[in-house]
Amino acid sequence: MAIKLPVFKPYNQQQILALPPSLEELIPATHPVRVVNEVINKLNIEPLLKAYKIRGSSSYHPQMLLKVLVYGYVTNTYSSRKLAAACKESVYLMWLSSMSYPDHNTINRFRGVRLKNALRSVFEDVVKLLAEEGLLSIEEVNTDGTKIEANANKYTFVWKKAIATNKEKMGKQLDEIWQYAQKVASDEDKMPEQPDFTTIDSSKVNATVELLNEKLAGKEGIDKKVKAKLKYVTKHYPLNIVKYEQQEAILKERNSYSKTDPDATFMRMKEDHMKNGQLKPGYNVQISTSNQFIVNYTIHSNPTDTNTLSAHLAQHEASFGKAPQVLIADAGYGSEENYMLLEQKQTTAFVKYGMFDKEQNETHNTKHPFAANKLFYNQEKDCYICPMGQPMDYIGTGTRETSTGFEQTLKRYQARNCANCPLNGACHKSKGNRIIEINENLNRLKQKAHTLLTSEEGIERRKKRCFDVEPTFGNIKQNHGFKRFMLRGEEKVELEWGLVTIAQNLRKKAA
């Protein structure tokens, strides 16, 4: 009886094909690699060619390298070494590179050096092509930000408060030694007028240390502890104050930075795996989207979204010649300065202010019945009416400057007699007569924003924002694993994020 064997398809590694298949035949017609190839073939690469010298040995074509790099970011291959290996292993990259095999140094140098002055132009061209196809709108955008961890050591930090504390200690120590020197100074060798040590700099420290050594060093009868302090001060303070001034120059308006990437600021990361809100060095990434396509992007060292909008809008204008006609954003952007900026640019702003969501809650409205915004305003007499029905008189106008230098104008009103009022203690907590500060311009802008946000169009746009800009960040960070930059320094980080945004837009187009 014959034994039946399983049937297998032919398998012969030495089989010779009369007509070997081409790489073109191996790429499906709807594969994302074809979208990358098609779009980049349409781009103007003239700005990219300027990064190459006319003389010297031949280089890999920048169009090919750009395709390889962008496709790498489309497929979550961010490492230059992995990309170099894939050019020899992946059919798609072989097809894109036309069987060229650039090494990782070539890819890394192209990304970090050649693309430096051209990537923004490449990104803008991609956005314009997508806009021509009707896939996105440059005029109507949703704006939001996220924090992405920097490629920096989280333990090599510098804090502005620590510098201020150390400088204060230095000032106190110098003051103590100076006062001692004044006590022991002879009539013939009197100390000059004591400097102000509340603020110190390198020139003041050096001059003080030199003078103290001149007056005290080598003299008999000087307290041993003072001698020890003077010796320590002489050895360390001139060097330390120079170091602190250099650190302050790097910090500028920031509160912290990492020594391994001085452009990175310590921020709280939502994606922290320890779930304890740990501070890590990172960048605040701002994007504007339309139909989940990224229209504009900027990188900031400032962790607060409020202070990023001005630069973000300026970049939009630089890229496309004008500000967006419509901008939708959450309460993180709802400041007087931002509302004024959008009003000046004639941009319709569907932007929430801080208390907008709470104001929609009836419980909150009954929780604070004596708040300043609940008091009645008599326009004819220019006074507010307190909860007991008594007028609060206008007592003057003042100004206040925000952290960004924006000047706010505040009108002040004071109640006449709170001492015997039965609501005293419930209405306000201050000891004297209640004073309220009213920012009329901000109130006007909030009322304008409230009208827009609660209109039918505003409600629709607010709903759309939630599944437009936020899922874009989610897709990049969760689905494609981009949670930490690989390059260091704001300039290179901006390059890297530019590649991420181009890849996101081409992935979306392919889908």
Side-chain angles (χ1 to χ4, degrees):
M1 184 177 177
I3 299 173
K4 289 186 177 181
L5 297 173
V7 180
F8 297 103
K9 295 183 185 293
Y11 174 66
N12 182 2
Q13 287 182 290
Q14 280 72 45
Q15 177 68 50
I16 298 173
L17 299 176
L19 295 171
S22 69
L23 290 174
E24 183 73 32
E25 293 171 358
L26 300 176
I27 310 292
T30 57
H31 198 276
V33 75
R34 291 193 180 275
V35 175
V36 172
N37 188 63
E38 175 196 348
V39 171
I40 292 180
N41 280 340
K42 292 178 182 178
L43 300 180
N44 173 25
I45 62 165
E46 193 67 33
L48 198 49
L49 298 177
K50 293 177 182 177
Y52 289 83
K53 295 177 181 177
I54 296 173
R55 296 180 180 180
S57 60
S58 60
S59 304
Y60 286 107
H61 200 285
Q63 192 175 48
M64 179 273 288
L65 289 171
L66 182 60
K67 289 178 183 179
V68 167
L69 201 52
V70 169
Y71 183 70
Y73 275 74
V74 167
T75 55
N76 312 334
T77 309
Y78 308 117
S79 162
S80 58
R81 291 182 184 276
K82 289 181 180 179
L83 265 178
C87 284
K88 298 177 181 179
E89 299 165 358
S90 166
V91 172
Y92 308 117
L93 281 167
M94 287 180 187
W95 177 71
L96 271 184
S97 67
S98 186
M99 301 296 285
S100 297
Y101 306 121
D103 62 18
H104 75 276
N105 278 327
T106 302
I107 294 170
N108 209 31
R109 189 164 56 251
F110 176 77
R111 175 172 58 185
V113 179
R114 309 288 192 194
L115 272 177
K116 185 166 62 176
N117 299 319
L119 188 66
R120 177 67 68 168
S121 173
V122 171
F123 168 78
E124 290 164 4
D125 285 351
V126 170
V127 170
K128 289 170 185 174
L129 282 171
L130 296 173
E132 285 172 10
E133 293 180 29
L135 295 172
L136 60 84
S137 168
I138 293 171
E139 286 78 27
E140 299 182 6
V141 297
N142 301 275
T143 299
D144 202 0
T146 192
K147 296 173 180 66
I148 296 182
E149 191 177 346
N151 180 11
N153 189 331
K154 63 182 179 181
Y155 300 112
T156 58
F157 46 76
V158 174
W159 294 95
K160 181 181 274 188
K161 282 187 178 179
I163 295 172
T165 302
N166 289 335
K167 287 174 73 174
E168 186 181 346
K169 287 178 181 177
M170 289 170 72
K172 286 181 179 177
Q173 190 75 283
L174 290 171
D175 182 61
E176 284 178 17
I177 301 173
W178 188 283
Q179 288 183 18
Y180 177 84
Q182 279 182 325
K183 287 179 183 176
V184 300
S186 61
D187 293 336
E188 296 81 19
D189 193 21
K190 283 186 178 179
M191 294 288 289
E193 186 179 347
Q194 182 174 339
D196 180 13
F197 291 120
T198 53
T199 57
I200 59 172
D201 54 37
S202 55
S203 60
K204 187 183 287 186
V205 168
N206 289 331
T208 303
V209 169
E210 189 178 331
L211 182 63
L212 289 172
N213 274 293
E214 182 187 326
K215 300 291 184 183
L216 296 177
K219 287 194 175 182
E220 294 181 2
I222 302 299
D223 189 289
K224 288 182 180 180
K225 289 184 179 179
V226 174
K227 271 188 178 181
K229 286 180 182 179
L230 182 57
K231 186 178 179 181
Y232 180 87
V233 163
T234 305
K235 183 178 178 181
H236 296 285
Y237 280 16
L239 295 175
N240 287 353
I241 192 66
V242 170
K243 181 181 75 173
Y244 295 147
E245 287 177 344
Q246 289 171 347
Q247 290 173 342
E248 285 175 328
I250 294 171
L251 280 166
K252 294 179 182 175
E253 301 301 320
R254 294 182 292 159
N255 290 321
S256 63
Y257 74 83
S258 171
K259 291 178 183 178
T260 44
D261 182 357
D263 290 338
T265 307
F266 279 78
M267 308 176 184
R268 294 198 183 277
M269 304 289 172
K270 288 182 182 178
E271 295 79 21
D272 177 27
H273 65 280
M274 297 295 288
K275 307 293 183 186
N276 60 1
Q278 189 176 11
L279 288 169
K280 291 181 181 177
Y283 290 92
N284 187 351
V285 178
Q286 297 288 312
I287 63 170
S288 292
T289 64
S290 174
N291 294 330
Q292 294 186 1
F293 289 95
I294 298 173
V295 178
N296 182 29
Y297 69 90
T298 49
I299 304 292
H300 305 266
S301 296
N302 192 321
T304 311
D305 286 344
T306 315
N307 301 336
T308 62
L309 188 63
S310 176
H312 191 70
L313 283 175
Q315 180 60 63
H316 191 105
E317 287 181 299
S319 296
F320 307 112
K322 59 180 180 179
Q325 293 176 4
V326 177
L327 185 138
I328 307 98
D330 62 17
Y333 302 86
S335 68
E336 182 182 1
E337 183 178 2
N338 287 342
Y339 283 133
M340 288 292 290
L341 178 67
L342 291 163
E343 193 172 65
Q344 288 163 11
K345 294 184 181 297
Q346 298 182 337
T347 298
T348 305
F350 294 91
V351 179
K352 294 179 183 178
Y353 47 88
M355 298 296 290
F356 176 79
D357 286 328
K358 287 187 176 180
E359 284 178 3
Q360 312 313 304
N361 188 338
E362 290 183 8
T363 308
H364 173 78
N365 290 331
T366 56
K367 227 176 195 180
H368 306 281
F370 306 128
N373 61 346
K374 304 278 177 62
L375 303 179
F376 175 76
Y377 176 64
N378 187 323
Q379 194 167 2
E380 289 181 9
K381 297 182 178 179
D382 188 21
C383 70
Y384 279 83
I385 307 300
C386 82
M388 284 301 292
Q390 300 301 312
M392 300 180 73
D393 302 318
Y394 169 70
I395 58 171
T397 300
T399 59
R400 182 170 58 201
E401 198 173 272
T402 65
S403 60
T404 59
F406 181 77
E407 193 174 88
Q408 297 178 314
T409 302
L410 304 167
K411 293 181 75 174
R412 303 176 81 233
Y413 296 83
Q414 186 173 31
R416 293 179 180 177
N417 184 16
C418 293
N420 301 317
C421 178
L423 293 177
N424 193 351
C427 175
H428 67 103
K429 303 296 181 185
S430 55
K431 291 182 179 179
N433 292 335
R434 183 183 181 184
I435 297 175
I436 59 172
E437 292 183 330
I438 304 296
N439 187 332
E440 290 185 341
N441 186 50
L442 180 57
N443 288 346
R444 174 187 69 81
L445 293 166
K446 280 184 176 180
Q447 184 56 49
K448 182 181 176 182
H450 186 274
T451 303
L452 281 169
L453 291 164
T454 52
S455 66
E456 285 187 19
E457 182 188 1
I459 294 168
E460 190 62 34
R461 287 190 182 276
R462 278 193 284 139
K463 287 179 182 177
K464 186 179 178 183
R465 191 197 74 84
C466 296
F467 56 82
D468 196 306
V469 63
E470 290 176 11
T472 305
F473 277 132
N475 187 41
I476 290 170
K477 295 170 85 171
Q478 302 300 327
N479 297 342
H480 296 280
F482 193 88
K483 297 181 180 179
R484 191 173 193 256
F485 288 110
M486 296 182 67
L487 305 181
R488 290 179 177 177
E490 189 170 336
E491 191 177 73
K492 289 187 176 180
V493 161
E494 189 171 343
L495 269 175
E496 194 173 1
W497 185 253
L499 287 165
V500 170
T501 58
I502 293 169
Q504 169 67 15
N505 285 349
L506 297 186
R507 270 196 303 262
K508 184 71 180 171
K509 175 177 166 59

